[in-house]
Amino acid sequence: MLKHVVVWNVKEPKAENIGILKETFLEMKGNIPAVLDVTVGETVDSPYSSRDFVLMTSHENYEKLEEYQKHPYHQGVLAKVVPLLQDKASIDFIE
């Protein structure tokens, strides 16, 4: 299984924007066939964290990740959330 992990810092107002992010990202499951699972979370108060928010999606393989990236629903999600985010970092790995 391929995991796609993206972390960001969230623009102000953080609490409000994090709520929007959680709701929006979780709605991808069931609306994008190439997405097997979606996990989201906000940072805890820790000196080891360098970002505010994480999204992790699960896909059968790299081809399904590509389908997800190009899916019209995902494009709509990006249009909604990109203005709320900054300082992106990402990684893909096989579990």
Side-chain angles (χ1 to χ4, degrees):
M1 182 174 312
L2 182 73
K3 300 285 187 168
H4 175 65
V5 182
V6 189
V7 294
W8 301 268
N9 282 323
V10 178
K11 294 179 181 176
E12 295 293 342
K14 284 189 184 191
E16 179 181 330
N17 288 341
I18 286 172
I20 294 167
L21 294 169
K22 285 180 178 179
E23 180 180 329
T24 303
F25 284 134
L26 289 172
E27 288 174 351
M28 291 192 304
K29 188 174 179 182
N31 284 301
I32 304 174
V35 173
L36 300 175
D37 197 21
V38 176
T39 303
V40 297
E42 63 185 284
T43 191
V44 295
D45 186 18
S46 166
Y48 307 110
S49 295
S50 61
R51 298 291 192 274
D52 298 324
F53 191 83
V54 62
L55 164 69
M56 183 167 61
T57 58
S58 301
H59 311 272
E60 288 179 24
N61 52 41
Y62 185 77
E63 290 76 21
K64 294 294 183 181
L65 174 62
E66 287 292 315
E67 285 179 32
Y68 155 71
Q69 293 289 359
K70 297 174 184 175
H71 194 279
Y73 192 92
H74 181 248
Q75 296 303 309
V77 166
L78 290 177
K80 185 174 182 178
V81 302
V82 166
L84 311 178
L85 300 165
Q86 58 192 5
D87 306 321
K88 175 183 170 184
S90 62
I91 186 170
D92 300 321
F93 67 95
I94 301 291
E95 182 178 58

